[in-house]
Amino acid sequence: MLLMMTTDIGHPPITQWDPVDVKAHIEFMREFSQSLVTSGELVDGQGLAMPDHAKIVTARDGAAPAVTDGPFPESKEFLAGYWIVDVDSPDRALEIAAEASASPGPHGVKLNHPIEVRQVMSGPDGDV
């Protein structure tokens, strides 16, 4: 699983970009995802809503769950989206992550967002 994190790395949030830059970024993401479909490596991938639309749910013994707003506003990093890929090697996952990291930002400058790469684990075989 490739997790795209956004960070405060010297550019404004996408909600403040020039529409031309947003369009170029979205087109890159479409082409990037299509290349993974074509290679047969894409299992799933989605962009996520902005953190101000997120909720955090915490179970509480004997009471209704606590529901609070998403990531704290002072957070400088949040999960923007993800891809699940089925690749032949960890090195290939890292190659794909590097390509995603280089998505264009304002004025076409590469964002170089951190991409966290983690293996999706499966449960044990049989009934548990």
Side-chain angles (χ1 to χ4, degrees), residues 33-85:
S33 293
Q34 184 57 49
S35 72
L36 294 173
V37 168
T38 301
S39 69
E41 295 171 312
L42 184 67
V43 174
D44 187 30
Q46 301 294 326
L48 301 175
M50 298 299 282
D52 60 343
H53 291 86
K55 300 291 182 201
I56 296 175
V57 179
T58 306
R60 298 185 299 177
D61 291 337
V67 179
T68 59
D69 289 337
F72 298 107
E74 62 271 10
S75 176
K76 292 182 172 38
E77 183 176 284
F78 65 89
L79 182 62
Y82 69 91
W83 297 268
I84 297 176
V85 295

mmCIF file of all heavy atoms in Angstrom, residues 33-85:
data_model
loop_
_atom_site.group_PDB
_atom_site.id
_atom_site.type_symbol
_atom_site.label_atom_id
_atom_site.label_comp_id
_atom_site.label_asym_id
_atom_site.label_seq_id
_atom_site.Cartn_x
_atom_site.Cartn_y
_atom_site.Cartn_z
ATOM 1 N N SER A 33 -2.242 6.525 -12.450
ATOM 2 C CA SER A 33 -3.096 5.389 -12.104
ATOM 3 C C SER A 33 -3.379 4.517 -13.318
ATOM 4 O O SER A 33 -3.371 3.286 -13.230
ATOM 5 C CB SER A 33 -4.397 5.871 -11.468
ATOM 6 O OG SER A 33 -4.120 6.462 -10.208
ATOM 7 N N GLN A 34 -3.611 5.143 -14.483
ATOM 8 C CA GLN A 34 -3.858 4.360 -15.699
ATOM 9 C C GLN A 34 -2.639 3.522 -16.073
ATOM 10 O O GLN A 34 -2.787 2.382 -16.518
ATOM 11 C CB GLN A 34 -4.258 5.263 -16.869
ATOM 12 C CG GLN A 34 -4.613 4.490 -18.126
ATOM 13 C CD GLN A 34 -5.735 3.477 -17.911
ATOM 14 O OE1 GLN A 34 -6.784 3.798 -17.354
ATOM 15 N NE2 GLN A 34 -5.526 2.236 -18.336
ATOM 16 N N SER A 35 -1.443 4.044 -15.854
ATOM 17 C CA SER A 35 -0.240 3.254 -16.165
ATOM 18 C C SER A 35 -0.157 2.023 -15.258
ATOM 19 O O SER A 35 0.294 0.956 -15.700
ATOM 20 C CB SER A 35 1.034 4.102 -16.047
ATOM 21 O OG SER A 35 1.342 4.397 -14.696
ATOM 22 N N LEU A 36 -0.623 2.151 -14.016
ATOM 23 C CA LEU A 36 -0.640 1.003 -13.108
ATOM 24 C C LEU A 36 -1.727 0.003 -13.498
ATOM 25 O O LEU A 36 -1.553 -1.205 -13.346
ATOM 26 C CB LEU A 36 -0.830 1.470 -11.663
ATOM 27 C CG LEU A 36 0.315 2.297 -11.080
ATOM 28 C CD1 LEU A 36 -0.059 2.839 -9.704
ATOM 29 C CD2 LEU A 36 1.602 1.490 -11.016
ATOM 30 N N VAL A 37 -2.852 0.494 -14.015
ATOM 31 C CA VAL A 37 -3.891 -0.394 -14.535
ATOM 32 C C VAL A 37 -3.339 -1.162 -15.736
ATOM 33 O O VAL A 37 -3.467 -2.385 -15.830
ATOM 34 C CB VAL A 37 -5.163 0.399 -14.938
ATOM 35 C CG1 VAL A 37 -6.125 -0.471 -15.732
ATOM 36 C CG2 VAL A 37 -5.847 0.965 -13.710
ATOM 37 N N THR A 38 -2.704 -0.446 -16.661
ATOM 38 C CA THR A 38 -2.157 -1.052 -17.867
ATOM 39 C C THR A 38 -1.114 -2.122 -17.541
ATOM 40 O O THR A 38 -1.081 -3.174 -18.168
ATOM 41 C CB THR A 38 -1.550 0.034 -18.781
ATOM 42 O OG1 THR A 38 -2.575 0.973 -19.118
ATOM 43 C CG2 THR A 38 -0.967 -0.564 -20.044
ATOM 44 N N SER A 39 -0.284 -1.865 -16.534
ATOM 45 C CA SER A 39 0.747 -2.835 -16.163
ATOM 46 C C SER A 39 0.179 -3.994 -15.338
ATOM 47 O O SER A 39 0.884 -4.962 -15.056
ATOM 48 C CB SER A 39 1.861 -2.145 -15.360
ATOM 49 O OG SER A 39 1.394 -1.753 -14.075
ATOM 50 N N GLY A 40 -1.095 -3.881 -14.935
ATOM 51 C CA GLY A 40 -1.720 -4.923 -14.131
ATOM 52 C C GLY A 40 -1.342 -4.868 -12.662
ATOM 53 O O GLY A 40 -1.602 -5.813 -11.921
ATOM 54 N N GLU A 41 -0.764 -3.745 -12.211
ATOM 55 C CA GLU A 41 -0.293 -3.639 -10.829
ATOM 56 C C GLU A 41 -1.274 -2.950 -9.885
ATOM 57 O O GLU A 41 -1.154 -3.073 -8.679
ATOM 58 C CB GLU A 41 1.046 -2.897 -10.798
ATOM 59 C CG GLU A 41 2.154 -3.649 -11.505
ATOM 60 C CD GLU A 41 3.417 -2.834 -11.678
ATOM 61 O OE1 GLU A 41 3.319 -1.661 -12.129
ATOM 62 O OE2 GLU A 41 4.498 -3.359 -11.373
ATOM 63 N N LEU A 42 -2.249 -2.211 -10.419
ATOM 64 C CA LEU A 42 -3.162 -1.468 -9.547
ATOM 65 C C LEU A 42 -4.275 -2.376 -9.034
ATOM 66 O O LEU A 42 -4.982 -3.003 -9.813
ATOM 67 C CB LEU A 42 -3.783 -0.280 -10.282
ATOM 68 C CG LEU A 42 -4.670 0.615 -9.419
ATOM 69 C CD1 LEU A 42 -3.839 1.334 -8.360
ATOM 70 C CD2 LEU A 42 -5.416 1.628 -10.270
ATOM 71 N N VAL A 43 -4.410 -2.442 -7.726
ATOM 72 C CA VAL A 43 -5.518 -3.146 -7.090
ATOM 73 C C VAL A 43 -6.608 -2.135 -6.763
ATOM 74 O O VAL A 43 -7.777 -2.349 -7.036
ATOM 75 C CB VAL A 43 -5.045 -3.886 -5.806
ATOM 76 C CG1 VAL A 43 -6.217 -4.495 -5.063
ATOM 77 C CG2 VAL A 43 -3.999 -4.939 -6.156
ATOM 78 N N ASP A 44 -6.225 -0.992 -6.192
ATOM 79 C CA ASP A 44 -7.171 0.058 -5.841
ATOM 80 C C ASP A 44 -6.384 1.332 -5.557
ATOM 81 O O ASP A 44 -5.211 1.276 -5.190
ATOM 82 C CB ASP A 44 -7.979 -0.324 -4.595
ATOM 83 C CG ASP A 44 -9.105 0.664 -4.284
ATOM 84 O OD1 ASP A 44 -9.651 1.283 -5.224
ATOM 85 O OD2 ASP A 44 -9.439 0.830 -3.102
ATOM 86 N N GLY A 45 -7.012 2.453 -5.718
ATOM 87 C CA GLY A 45 -6.403 3.730 -5.377
ATOM 88 C C GLY A 45 -7.476 4.790 -5.275
ATOM 89 O O GLY A 45 -8.401 4.809 -6.089
ATOM 90 N N GLN A 46 -7.364 5.646 -4.279
ATOM 91 C CA GLN A 46 -8.366 6.685 -4.077
ATOM 92 C C GLN A 46 -7.727 7.919 -3.464
ATOM 93 O O GLN A 46 -6.819 7.813 -2.635
ATOM 94 C CB GLN A 46 -9.461 6.199 -3.120
ATOM 95 C CG GLN A 46 -10.205 4.968 -3.574
ATOM 96 C CD GLN A 46 -11.044 5.176 -4.816
ATOM 97 O OE1 GLN A 46 -11.602 6.254 -5.024
ATOM 98 N NE2 GLN A 46 -11.144 4.160 -5.654
ATOM 99 N N GLY A 47 -8.222 9.072 -3.858
ATOM 100 C CA GLY A 47 -7.911 10.299 -3.149
ATOM 101 C C GLY A 47 -8.892 10.420 -1.989
ATOM 102 O O GLY A 47 -9.997 9.879 -2.047
ATOM 103 N N LEU A 48 -8.491 11.098 -0.951
ATOM 104 C CA LEU A 48 -9.344 11.243 0.225
ATOM 105 C C LEU A 48 -9.780 12.689 0.405
ATOM 106 O O LEU A 48 -9.083 13.617 -0.011
ATOM 107 C CB LEU A 48 -8.584 10.770 1.469
ATOM 108 C CG LEU A 48 -8.118 9.314 1.420
ATOM 109 C CD1 LEU A 48 -7.279 8.987 2.647
ATOM 110 C CD2 LEU A 48 -9.295 8.369 1.309
ATOM 111 N N ALA A 49 -10.936 12.871 1.044
ATOM 112 C CA ALA A 49 -11.431 14.215 1.344
ATOM 113 C C ALA A 49 -10.445 14.929 2.267
ATOM 114 O O ALA A 49 -9.645 14.298 2.961
ATOM 115 C CB ALA A 49 -12.809 14.120 2.015
ATOM 116 N N MET A 50 -10.530 16.222 2.283
ATOM 117 C CA MET A 50 -9.656 17.027 3.133
ATOM 118 C C MET A 50 -9.927 16.699 4.604
ATOM 119 O O MET A 50 -11.026 16.278 4.960
ATOM 120 C CB MET A 50 -9.885 18.514 2.873
ATOM 121 C CG MET A 50 -9.563 18.940 1.446
ATOM 122 S SD MET A 50 -7.842 18.650 0.984
ATOM 123 C CE MET A 50 -7.075 20.037 1.785
ATOM 124 N N PRO A 51 -8.943 16.904 5.483
ATOM 125 C CA PRO A 51 -9.091 16.557 6.898
ATOM 126 C C PRO A 51 -10.269 17.234 7.600
ATOM 127 O O PRO A 51 -10.816 16.673 8.547
ATOM 128 C CB PRO A 51 -7.775 17.010 7.527
ATOM 129 C CG PRO A 51 -6.811 17.074 6.415
ATOM 130 C CD PRO A 51 -7.613 17.404 5.185
ATOM 131 N N ASP A 52 -10.684 18.399 7.125
ATOM 132 C CA ASP A 52 -11.797 19.061 7.800
ATOM 133 C C ASP A 52 -13.124 18.326 7.604
ATOM 134 O O ASP A 52 -14.124 18.652 8.232
ATOM 135 C CB ASP A 52 -11.908 20.531 7.383
ATOM 136 C CG ASP A 52 -12.131 20.736 5.897
ATOM 137 O OD1 ASP A 52 -11.889 19.802 5.111
ATOM 138 O OD2 ASP A 52 -12.546 21.847 5.517
ATOM 139 N N HIS A 53 -13.136 17.294 6.746
ATOM 140 C CA HIS A 53 -14.313 16.452 6.562
ATOM 141 C C HIS A 53 -14.196 15.127 7.317
ATOM 142 O O HIS A 53 -15.110 14.311 7.281
ATOM 143 C CB HIS A 53 -14.533 16.164 5.078
ATOM 144 C CG HIS A 53 -14.963 17.370 4.310
ATOM 145 N ND1 HIS A 53 -14.074 18.276 3.788
ATOM 146 C CD2 HIS A 53 -16.189 17.824 3.985
ATOM 147 C CE1 HIS A 53 -14.726 19.231 3.174
ATOM 148 N NE2 HIS A 53 -16.019 18.992 3.279
ATOM 149 N N ALA A 54 -13.080 14.905 7.990
ATOM 150 C CA ALA A 54 -12.841 13.641 8.689
ATOM 151 C C ALA A 54 -13.449 13.658 10.087
ATOM 152 O O ALA A 54 -13.603 14.714 10.693
ATOM 153 C CB ALA A 54 -11.330 13.382 8.789
ATOM 154 N N LYS A 55 -13.777 12.489 10.567
ATOM 155 C CA LYS A 55 -14.249 12.291 11.936
ATOM 156 C C LYS A 55 -13.408 11.185 12.562
ATOM 157 O O LYS A 55 -13.021 10.239 11.888
ATOM 158 C CB LYS A 55 -15.724 11.873 11.981
ATOM 159 C CG LYS A 55 -16.675 12.880 11.356
ATOM 160 C CD LYS A 55 -16.759 14.135 12.185
ATOM 161 C CE LYS A 55 -17.746 15.115 11.575
ATOM 162 N NZ LYS A 55 -17.533 16.465 12.011
ATOM 163 N N ILE A 56 -13.159 11.301 13.850
ATOM 164 C CA ILE A 56 -12.455 10.264 14.595
ATOM 165 C C ILE A 56 -13.454 9.666 15.582
ATOM 166 O O ILE A 56 -14.080 10.399 16.349
ATOM 167 C CB ILE A 56 -11.217 10.825 15.320
ATOM 168 C CG1 ILE A 56 -10.213 11.327 14.277
ATOM 169 C CG2 ILE A 56 -10.588 9.766 16.225
ATOM 170 C CD1 ILE A 56 -9.007 12.015 14.845
ATOM 171 N N VAL A 57 -13.609 8.344 15.515
ATOM 172 C CA VAL A 57 -14.567 7.630 16.364
ATOM 173 C C VAL A 57 -13.786 6.775 17.348
ATOM 174 O O VAL A 57 -12.921 5.997 16.954
ATOM 175 C CB VAL A 57 -15.502 6.747 15.515
ATOM 176 C CG1 VAL A 57 -16.482 5.992 16.403
ATOM 177 C CG2 VAL A 57 -16.237 7.584 14.478
ATOM 178 N N THR A 58 -14.095 6.923 18.627
ATOM 179 C CA THR A 58 -13.443 6.154 19.683
ATOM 180 C C THR A 58 -14.517 5.475 20.524
ATOM 181 O O THR A 58 -15.393 6.145 21.096
ATOM 182 C CB THR A 58 -12.593 7.074 20.584
ATOM 183 O OG1 THR A 58 -11.686 7.819 19.761
ATOM 184 C CG2 THR A 58 -11.814 6.278 21.606
ATOM 185 N N ALA A 59 -14.451 4.121 20.589
ATOM 186 C CA ALA A 59 -15.411 3.375 21.406
ATOM 187 C C ALA A 59 -15.169 3.692 22.872
ATOM 188 O O ALA A 59 -14.039 3.963 23.292
ATOM 189 C CB ALA A 59 -15.245 1.871 21.157
ATOM 190 N N ARG A 60 -16.279 3.677 23.654
ATOM 191 C CA ARG A 60 -16.181 3.913 25.099
ATOM 192 C C ARG A 60 -17.023 2.858 25.796
ATOM 193 O O ARG A 60 -18.182 2.656 25.437
ATOM 194 C CB ARG A 60 -16.667 5.313 25.457
ATOM 195 C CG ARG A 60 -15.821 6.405 24.816
ATOM 196 C CD ARG A 60 -16.219 7.771 25.260
ATOM 197 N NE ARG A 60 -17.619 8.052 24.891
ATOM 198 C CZ ARG A 60 -18.242 9.171 25.210
ATOM 199 N NH1 ARG A 60 -17.627 10.105 25.901
ATOM 200 N NH2 ARG A 60 -19.494 9.360 24.849
ATOM 201 N N ASP A 61 -16.447 2.208 26.783
ATOM 202 C CA ASP A 61 -17.163 1.176 27.532
ATOM 203 C C ASP A 61 -18.425 1.748 28.164
ATOM 204 O O ASP A 61 -18.377 2.743 28.883
ATOM 205 C CB ASP A 61 -16.277 0.576 28.628
ATOM 206 C CG ASP A 61 -15.144 -0.264 28.062
ATOM 207 O OD1 ASP A 61 -15.276 -0.740 26.912
ATOM 208 O OD2 ASP A 61 -14.131 -0.441 28.760
ATOM 209 N N GLY A 62 -19.575 1.119 27.861
ATOM 210 C CA GLY A 62 -20.831 1.501 28.498
ATOM 211 C C GLY A 62 -21.395 2.830 28.058
ATOM 212 O O GLY A 62 -22.328 3.325 28.678
ATOM 213 N N ALA A 63 -20.840 3.445 27.025
ATOM 214 C CA ALA A 63 -21.337 4.745 26.573
ATOM 215 C C ALA A 63 -21.292 4.798 25.051
ATOM 216 O O ALA A 63 -20.645 3.976 24.402
ATOM 217 C CB ALA A 63 -20.484 5.871 27.159
ATOM 218 N N ALA A 64 -21.984 5.783 24.529
ATOM 219 C CA ALA A 64 -21.942 5.975 23.079
ATOM 220 C C ALA A 64 -20.510 6.306 22.665
ATOM 221 O O ALA A 64 -19.754 6.903 23.442
ATOM 222 C CB ALA A 64 -22.882 7.111 22.687
ATOM 223 N N PRO A 65 -20.126 5.921 21.460
ATOM 224 C CA PRO A 65 -18.773 6.254 21.023
ATOM 225 C C PRO A 65 -18.562 7.770 20.961
ATOM 226 O O PRO A 65 -19.508 8.522 20.720
ATOM 227 C CB PRO A 65 -18.674 5.640 19.630
ATOM 228 C CG PRO A 65 -20.048 5.277 19.228
ATOM 229 C CD PRO A 65 -20.904 5.236 20.449
ATOM 230 N N ALA A 66 -17.352 8.189 21.206
ATOM 231 C CA ALA A 66 -16.997 9.604 21.076
ATOM 232 C C ALA A 66 -16.693 9.875 19.608
ATOM 233 O O ALA A 66 -15.935 9.135 18.975
ATOM 234 C CB ALA A 66 -15.783 9.919 21.936
ATOM 235 N N VAL A 67 -17.286 10.910 19.057
ATOM 236 C CA VAL A 67 -17.056 11.300 17.668
ATOM 237 C C VAL A 67 -16.533 12.725 17.688
ATOM 238 O O VAL A 67 -17.203 13.641 18.167
ATOM 239 C CB VAL A 67 -18.343 11.209 16.827
ATOM 240 C CG1 VAL A 67 -18.070 11.636 15.388
ATOM 241 C CG2 VAL A 67 -18.929 9.798 16.878
ATOM 242 N N THR A 68 -15.320 12.904 17.191
ATOM 243 C CA THR A 68 -14.704 14.231 17.170
ATOM 244 C C THR A 68 -14.260 14.562 15.757
ATOM 245 O O THR A 68 -14.217 13.703 14.881
ATOM 246 C CB THR A 68 -13.491 14.289 18.117
ATOM 247 O OG1 THR A 68 -12.533 13.305 17.706
ATOM 248 C CG2 THR A 68 -13.895 14.032 19.559
ATOM 249 N N ASP A 69 -13.936 15.819 15.545
ATOM 250 C CA ASP A 69 -13.426 16.228 14.244
ATOM 251 C C ASP A 69 -12.135 15.499 13.947
ATOM 252 O O ASP A 69 -11.442 15.025 14.848
ATOM 253 C CB ASP A 69 -13.203 17.733 14.200
ATOM 254 C CG ASP A 69 -14.523 18.492 14.170
ATOM 255 O OD1 ASP A 69 -15.537 17.904 13.757
ATOM 256 O OD2 ASP A 69 -14.538 19.665 14.565
ATOM 257 N N GLY A 70 -11.809 15.457 12.652
ATOM 258 C CA GLY A 70 -10.648 14.715 12.178
ATOM 259 C C GLY A 70 -9.333 15.246 12.682
ATOM 260 O O GLY A 70 -9.294 15.888 13.727
ATOM 261 N N PRO A 71 -8.265 15.028 11.921
ATOM 262 C CA PRO A 71 -6.933 15.423 12.388
ATOM 263 C C PRO A 71 -6.929 16.851 12.914
ATOM 264 O O PRO A 71 -7.641 17.713 12.418
ATOM 265 C CB PRO A 71 -6.086 15.312 11.120
ATOM 266 C CG PRO A 71 -6.800 14.294 10.291
ATOM 267 C CD PRO A 71 -8.268 14.494 10.587
ATOM 268 N N PHE A 72 -6.154 17.047 13.938
ATOM 269 C CA PHE A 72 -6.104 18.357 14.577
ATOM 270 C C PHE A 72 -5.625 19.426 13.602
ATOM 271 O O PHE A 72 -4.725 19.187 12.803
ATOM 272 C CB PHE A 72 -5.204 18.303 15.809
ATOM 273 C CG PHE A 72 -5.706 17.347 16.846
ATOM 274 C CD1 PHE A 72 -5.077 16.139 17.055
ATOM 275 C CD2 PHE A 72 -6.831 17.649 17.598
ATOM 276 C CE1 PHE A 72 -5.547 15.242 18.004
ATOM 277 C CE2 PHE A 72 -7.318 16.762 18.548
ATOM 278 C CZ PHE A 72 -6.679 15.557 18.746
ATOM 279 N N PRO A 73 -6.210 20.632 13.661
ATOM 280 C CA PRO A 73 -5.864 21.680 12.704
ATOM 281 C C PRO A 73 -4.381 22.041 12.704
ATOM 282 O O PRO A 73 -3.853 22.446 11.688
ATOM 283 C CB PRO A 73 -6.696 22.881 13.148
ATOM 284 C CG PRO A 73 -7.636 22.397 14.164
ATOM 285 C CD PRO A 73 -7.199 21.046 14.615
ATOM 286 N N GLU A 74 -3.699 21.867 13.836
ATOM 287 C CA GLU A 74 -2.280 22.226 13.861
ATOM 288 C C GLU A 74 -1.400 21.175 13.200
ATOM 289 O O GLU A 74 -0.207 21.371 13.030
ATOM 290 C CB GLU A 74 -1.805 22.497 15.298
ATOM 291 C CG GLU A 74 -1.892 21.318 16.238
ATOM 292 C CD GLU A 74 -3.246 21.214 16.949
ATOM 293 O OE1 GLU A 74 -4.200 21.936 16.607
ATOM 294 O OE2 GLU A 74 -3.340 20.375 17.860
ATOM 295 N N SER A 75 -2.012 20.055 12.800
ATOM 296 C CA SER A 75 -1.251 19.005 12.123
ATOM 297 C C SER A 75 -0.733 19.527 10.791
ATOM 298 O O SER A 75 -1.453 20.145 10.020
ATOM 299 C CB SER A 75 -2.151 17.786 11.891
ATOM 300 O OG SER A 75 -1.452 16.826 11.171
ATOM 301 N N LYS A 76 0.525 19.278 10.525
ATOM 302 C CA LYS A 76 1.127 19.736 9.275
ATOM 303 C C LYS A 76 1.144 18.624 8.234
ATOM 304 O O LYS A 76 1.620 18.800 7.140
ATOM 305 C CB LYS A 76 2.552 20.227 9.535
ATOM 306 C CG LYS A 76 2.610 21.497 10.355
ATOM 307 C CD LYS A 76 4.052 21.925 10.519
ATOM 308 C CE LYS A 76 4.283 23.245 11.133
ATOM 309 N NZ LYS A 76 3.501 23.730 12.170
ATOM 310 N N GLU A 77 0.651 17.461 8.583
ATOM 311 C CA GLU A 77 0.694 16.306 7.688
ATOM 312 C C GLU A 77 -0.622 15.551 7.787
ATOM 313 O O GLU A 77 -1.180 15.402 8.861
ATOM 314 C CB GLU A 77 1.855 15.410 8.113
ATOM 315 C CG GLU A 77 2.073 14.208 7.245
ATOM 316 C CD GLU A 77 3.313 13.451 7.689
ATOM 317 O OE1 GLU A 77 4.428 13.904 7.399
ATOM 318 O OE2 GLU A 77 3.131 12.407 8.327
ATOM 319 N N PHE A 78 -1.128 15.092 6.642
ATOM 320 C CA PHE A 78 -2.322 14.255 6.659
ATOM 321 C C PHE A 78 -2.305 13.346 5.433
ATOM 322 O O PHE A 78 -1.606 13.603 4.460
ATOM 323 C CB PHE A 78 -3.607 15.083 6.727
ATOM 324 C CG PHE A 78 -3.859 15.954 5.516
ATOM 325 C CD1 PHE A 78 -4.566 15.467 4.429
ATOM 326 C CD2 PHE A 78 -3.403 17.258 5.475
ATOM 327 C CE1 PHE A 78 -4.806 16.261 3.312
ATOM 328 C CE2 PHE A 78 -3.626 18.067 4.375
ATOM 329 C CZ PHE A 78 -4.328 17.558 3.293
ATOM 330 N N LEU A 79 -3.079 12.266 5.520
ATOM 331 C CA LEU A 79 -3.187 11.303 4.448
ATOM 332 C C LEU A 79 -4.070 11.877 3.352
ATOM 333 O O LEU A 79 -5.234 12.195 3.589
ATOM 334 C CB LEU A 79 -3.756 9.985 4.982
ATOM 335 C CG LEU A 79 -3.899 8.848 3.998
ATOM 336 C CD1 LEU A 79 -2.535 8.434 3.438
ATOM 337 C CD2 LEU A 79 -4.559 7.658 4.684
ATOM 338 N N ALA A 80 -3.520 12.005 2.145
ATOM 339 C CA ALA A 80 -4.255 12.592 1.030
ATOM 340 C C ALA A 80 -4.885 11.536 0.128
ATOM 341 O O ALA A 80 -5.877 11.792 -0.535
ATOM 342 C CB ALA A 80 -3.329 13.481 0.202
ATOM 343 N N GLY A 81 -4.290 10.358 0.085
ATOM 344 C CA GLY A 81 -4.810 9.302 -0.772
ATOM 345 C C GLY A 81 -3.926 8.079 -0.688
ATOM 346 O O GLY A 81 -2.915 8.072 0.018
ATOM 347 N N TYR A 82 -4.311 7.045 -1.431
ATOM 348 C CA TYR A 82 -3.547 5.809 -1.378
ATOM 349 C C TYR A 82 -3.682 5.028 -2.681
ATOM 350 O O TYR A 82 -4.601 5.245 -3.465
ATOM 351 C CB TYR A 82 -4.021 4.929 -0.210
ATOM 352 C CG TYR A 82 -5.412 4.374 -0.427
ATOM 353 C CD1 TYR A 82 -5.591 3.134 -1.039
ATOM 354 C CD2 TYR A 82 -6.538 5.091 -0.050
ATOM 355 C CE1 TYR A 82 -6.866 2.629 -1.263
ATOM 356 C CE2 TYR A 82 -7.793 4.593 -0.265
ATOM 357 C CZ TYR A 82 -7.958 3.352 -0.878
ATOM 358 O OH TYR A 82 -9.211 2.868 -1.117
ATOM 359 N N TRP A 83 -2.755 4.119 -2.892
ATOM 360 C CA TRP A 83 -2.810 3.125 -3.946
ATOM 361 C C TRP A 83 -2.494 1.776 -3.312
ATOM 362 O O TRP A 83 -1.583 1.681 -2.483
ATOM 363 C CB TRP A 83 -1.762 3.367 -5.032
ATOM 364 C CG TRP A 83 -1.914 4.638 -5.778
ATOM 365 C CD1 TRP A 83 -2.597 4.838 -6.947
ATOM 366 C CD2 TRP A 83 -1.344 5.907 -5.451
ATOM 367 N NE1 TRP A 83 -2.493 6.147 -7.346
ATOM 368 C CE2 TRP A 83 -1.722 6.829 -6.434
ATOM 369 C CE3 TRP A 83 -0.540 6.356 -4.387
ATOM 370 C CZ2 TRP A 83 -1.336 8.154 -6.408
ATOM 371 C CZ3 TRP A 83 -0.156 7.681 -4.369
ATOM 372 C CH2 TRP A 83 -0.560 8.564 -5.375
ATOM 373 N N ILE A 84 -3.219 0.767 -3.693
ATOM 374 C CA ILE A 84 -2.838 -0.599 -3.347
ATOM 375 C C ILE A 84 -2.360 -1.233 -4.641
ATOM 376 O O ILE A 84 -3.098 -1.241 -5.647
ATOM 377 C CB ILE A 84 -4.010 -1.389 -2.740
ATOM 378 C CG1 ILE A 84 -4.449 -0.731 -1.431
ATOM 379 C CG2 ILE A 84 -3.608 -2.851 -2.512
ATOM 380 C CD1 ILE A 84 -5.660 -1.362 -0.785
ATOM 381 N N VAL A 85 -1.136 -1.692 -4.633
ATOM 382 C CA VAL A 85 -0.547 -2.285 -5.829
ATOM 383 C C VAL A 85 -0.148 -3.722 -5.543
ATOM 384 O O VAL A 85 0.175 -4.084 -4.406
ATOM 385 C CB VAL A 85 0.665 -1.473 -6.340
ATOM 386 C CG1 VAL A 85 0.221 -0.085 -6.795
ATOM 387 C CG2 VAL A 85 1.745 -1.349 -5.276
#
